[in-house]
């Protein structure tokens, strides 16, 4: 990659791989110190608005004007401006299909073995007899595992609840309803989903250590120890199979929707530690226009990490490739398509975006810089309860009232009130 970037922008590139489980802690340590760091990709546990508010990420507006013309051409204005904090852009979303279905992905071999009728699965509750079949007939295989850092309850709510970028559930919006912001843990939707997941947990449909395990669901399925996990997907119905190395089937349980988190879940910013922000922006700009640079970052080396097939298709070489690149930085539509992907994936993704239900919150970013005490206190409460609630490991009938009382005591109402004020101003300015 550096051979190319040296010629094109007179800069070299050093990648810093960090495991998912250590990412938040390590990046926060790097940002807090003076370690050399240029580009940072954020996701919800890293709290992008908080990083922007405390200036750990620098404003990008001027740099975009000077060195980001291809970025501005690639991203629609509402997408480019979706990560504004205090009127400044501090992070850039990748260009990809933003609209998603939410549902469940399951091992096809077991679906076929037990003649599971997918057409009868219309709601999350309809999964119960499926999980029962797997538990009774497949010892050593957990019917349901969690996909990643989000819990199972969270995944079930994402189509109807827009968290407006929040990672603590304070000030969420019901998609398609009025503009009143809510405490997610006081909504009937959360209580109903938590009750259902608790029932599944007590029935033994999930690993007993699911609340504390750091193992990703895809890896558990790949190891033959899991059957299904909640997921989100667009028109690329082969993604779950590639993630697990096992043939999977996806079942959509919602209409397509585009929430704030769908657009801003992964953002790339320039760290305050950067010694040359101009070069960092020039490199970012390449990722929105240069297929060769994008493909190197996203897919690695041809012949080692992937093999070229017909057209723009690639496949994994025999065995593991040993490389997983970030496909959420830059213009993913520049990149190769994995074998098994619909050749019309890009056009269909754009079509899905045009049909999706859009949240009113697209483009809103909450500035919590004046609420640091309350946010810290609320997050402490969340950390005590929510990981277990989200996978059914504790009783919601008992835990939810306790949680909500402690959230109020910690300052939840003050956070929601300030977020509502900012959201109302955002809606007014958007008209």
């Amino acid at each position: 990659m550096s051979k190319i970037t040296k010629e094109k922008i007179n800069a070299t590139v050093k990648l810093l791989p960090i495991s998912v489980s250590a990412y938040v802690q390590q990046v926060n340590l790097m940002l807090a110190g003076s370690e050399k760091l240029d580009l940072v990709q954020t996701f919800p546990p890293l709290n992008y608005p908080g990083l922007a508010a405390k200036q750990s990420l620098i404003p990008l507006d001027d740099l975009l004007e000077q060195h980001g013309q291809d970025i501005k051409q690639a991203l629609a204005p509402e997408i480019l401006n979706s990560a504004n904090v205090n009127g400044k852009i501090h992070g850039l979303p990748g260009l990809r299909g933003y609209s998603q279905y939410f549902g469940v992905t399951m091992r096809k071999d077991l679906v076929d073995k037990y003649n599971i009728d997918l057409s009868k699965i219309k709601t999350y509750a309809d999964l119960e007899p499926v999980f029962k079949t797997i538990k009774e007939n497949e010892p050593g295989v957990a019917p349901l595992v969690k996909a990643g850092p989000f819990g199972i309850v969270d995944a079930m709510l994402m189509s109807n609840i827009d968290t407006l970028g929040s990672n603590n559930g304070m000030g969420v919006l019901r998609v398609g309803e009025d503009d009143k912001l809510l405490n997610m843990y006081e909504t009937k939707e959360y209580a109903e989903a938590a009750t259902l997941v608790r029932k599944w947990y007590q029935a033994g449909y999930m690993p007993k250590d699911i609340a504390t395990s750091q193992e990703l669901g895809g890896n558990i399925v790949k190891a033959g120890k899991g059957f299904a996990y909640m997921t989100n997907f667009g028109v690329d119905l082969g993604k779950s199979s590639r993630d697990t190395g096992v043939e999977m089937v996806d079942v959509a349980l919602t209409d397509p929707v585009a929430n704030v988190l769908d657009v801003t879940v992964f953002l790339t910013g320039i760290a305050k530690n950067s010694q040359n922000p101009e070069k960092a922006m020039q490199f970012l700009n390449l990722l929105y226009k240069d297929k060769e640079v994008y493909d190197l970052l996203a897919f690695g080396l041809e012949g080692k990490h992937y093999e070229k097939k017909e057209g723009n298709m690639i496949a994994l070489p025999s065995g593991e490739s040993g490389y997983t690149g970030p496909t959420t930085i830059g213009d993913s539509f520049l990149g190769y398509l994995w074998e098994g992907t619909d050749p019309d994936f890009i056009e269909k993704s754009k079509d899905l975006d045009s049909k999706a239900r859009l949240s009113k919150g697209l483009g809103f970013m909450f500035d919590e810089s004046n609420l640091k005490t309350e946010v810290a206190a609320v997050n402490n409460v969340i950390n005590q309860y929510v990981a277990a609630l989200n996978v059914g490991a504790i009783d919601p009938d008992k835990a939810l009232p306790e949680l909500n009382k402690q959230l109020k005591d910690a300052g939840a109402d003050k956070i929601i009130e300030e977020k509502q004020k900012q959201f109302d101003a955002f809606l007014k300015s958007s008209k």
Side-chain angles (χ1 to χ4, degrees):
M1 191 183 296
S2 288
K3 291 179 182 178
I4 301 168
T5 57
K6 184 70 175 176
E7 178 182 336
K8 294 191 173 183
I9 61 171
N10 193 30
T12 57
V13 180
K14 182 179 180 181
L15 305 182
L16 302 174
I18 303 172
S19 69
V20 173
S21 59
Y23 189 81
V24 173
Q25 181 180 19
Q26 192 164 334
V27 169
N28 276 324
L29 286 172
M30 294 172 78
L31 290 170
S34 56
E35 190 169 345
K36 285 184 180 179
L37 184 63
D38 292 296
L39 297 175
V40 178
Q41 185 163 54
T42 67
F43 68 121
L46 199 54
N47 189 12
Y48 163 79
L51 293 178
K54 64 184 181 183
Q55 300 180 333
S56 294
L57 301 175
I58 66 173
L60 303 180
D61 304 75
D62 292 342
L63 289 169
L64 278 166
E65 286 297 323
Q66 297 166 20
H67 304 293
Q69 293 307 311
D70 295 293
I71 296 172
K72 294 181 69 175
Q73 185 173 339
L75 296 177
E78 63 271 20
I79 301 300
L80 179 62
N81 292 304
S82 63
N84 266 318
V85 176
N86 283 335
K88 296 287 185 180
I89 298 169
H90 294 75
L92 300 173
L95 180 60
R96 52 192 169 80
Y98 302 109
S99 305
Q100 303 180 78
Y101 297 97
F102 291 84
V104 63
T105 188
M106 297 175 282
R107 278 173 51 182
K108 186 177 186 300
D109 62 335
L110 296 183
V111 168
D112 293 343
K113 180 178 179 179
Y114 296 107
N115 297 312
I116 295 170
D117 187 350
L118 302 182
S119 68
K120 291 183 178 179
I121 304 174
K122 304 292 187 184
T123 69
Y124 289 105
D126 294 337
L127 290 166
E128 191 163 332
V130 178
F131 295 156
K132 186 173 187 289
T133 296
I134 300 301
K135 178 176 171 53
E136 291 177 350
N137 294 281
E138 294 291 331
V141 176
L144 180 63
V145 295
K146 64 180 179 181
F150 297 110
I152 293 170
V153 175
D154 281 341
M156 292 165 64
L157 295 178
M158 283 184 176
S159 64
N160 293 314
I161 298 287
D162 189 343
T163 64
L164 298 179
S166 166
N167 63 350
N168 62 19
M170 297 301 101
V172 303
L173 180 71
R174 284 194 179 103
V175 177
E177 295 194 15
D178 60 30
D179 304 330
K180 181 177 174 57
L181 303 189
L182 309 162
N183 169 359
M184 183 167 71
Y185 306 105
E186 289 182 335
T187 64
K188 69 179 187 302
E189 291 91 342
Y190 190 91
E192 289 170 358
T195 299
L196 179 60
V197 173
R198 174 63 173 173
K199 183 180 179 184
W200 292 345
Y201 181 87
Q202 289 181 308
Y205 298 154
M206 292 174 274
K208 288 299 181 185
D209 67 345
I210 191 170
T212 56
S213 173
Q214 298 297 312
E215 191 73 33
L216 298 180
N219 292 337
I220 298 174
V221 171
K222 182 184 292 188
K225 297 179 180 179
F227 166 68
Y229 56 87
M230 304 306 180
T231 190
N232 53 292
F233 45 89
V235 296
D236 180 7
L237 299 181
K239 183 178 184 301
S240 298
S241 298
R242 293 194 303 275
D243 287 347
T244 60
V246 177
E247 191 173 3
M248 305 290 285
V249 288
D250 296 330
V251 177
L253 298 174
T254 71
D255 293 326
V257 63
N259 291 342
V260 170
L261 195 59
D262 297 326
V263 177
T264 62
V265 62
F266 296 109
L267 297 167
T268 305
I270 298 179
K272 66 176 178 58
N273 310 32
S274 177
Q275 297 183 338
N276 198 327
E278 290 79 12
K279 289 298 178 189
M281 179 57 76
Q282 288 176 28
F283 176 68
L284 260 180
N285 192 66
L286 278 181
L287 294 174
Y288 288 83
K289 77 164 185 176
D290 192 300
K291 175 175 171 58
E292 188 177 15
V293 175
Y294 177 87
D295 284 338
L296 273 169
L297 181 65
F299 304 109
L301 298 171
E302 182 183 353
K304 181 178 181 181
H305 302 127
Y306 66 88
E307 297 173 349
K308 286 202 72 174
K309 299 295 182 179
E310 186 176 349
N312 197 41
M313 294 289 178
I314 59 173
L316 289 174
S318 56
E320 296 291 330
S321 78
Y323 183 82
T324 302
T327 56
T328 49
I329 299 176
D331 181 356
S332 71
F333 294 149
L334 290 172
Y336 293 120
L337 298 176
W338 287 105
E339 194 173 41
T341 304
D342 188 328
D344 298 322
F345 165 74
I346 294 173
E347 290 72 21
K348 288 183 177 180
S349 289
K350 293 177 179 178
D351 182 59
L352 185 66
D353 283 345
S354 71
K355 296 175 180 176
R357 182 178 55 174
L358 301 180
S359 168
K360 297 178 184 179
L362 280 180
F364 173 74
M365 277 283 171
F366 178 42
D367 176 16
E368 57 186 31
S369 55
N370 294 325
L371 297 161
K372 292 179 181 177
T373 301
E374 291 81 5
V375 168
V378 162
N379 287 343
N380 285 336
V381 176
I382 295 293
N383 291 338
Q384 293 176 43
Y385 286 90
V386 171
L389 268 171
N390 270 339
V391 294
I394 54 176
D395 181 2
D397 289 341
K398 181 174 183 293
L400 272 176
E402 293 177 6
L403 167 63
N404 284 315
K405 181 183 184 307
Q406 291 190 36
L407 287 173
K408 283 186 178 296
D409 293 343
D413 291 342
K414 187 175 179 180
I415 296 172
I416 295 171
E417 181 182 352
E418 174 59 26
K419 192 171 185 178
Q420 183 76 63
K421 179 181 174 182
Q422 293 182 28
F423 186 61
D424 290 343
F426 161 79
L427 292 176
K428 186 176 180 180
S429 68
S430 301
K431 290 181 179 178

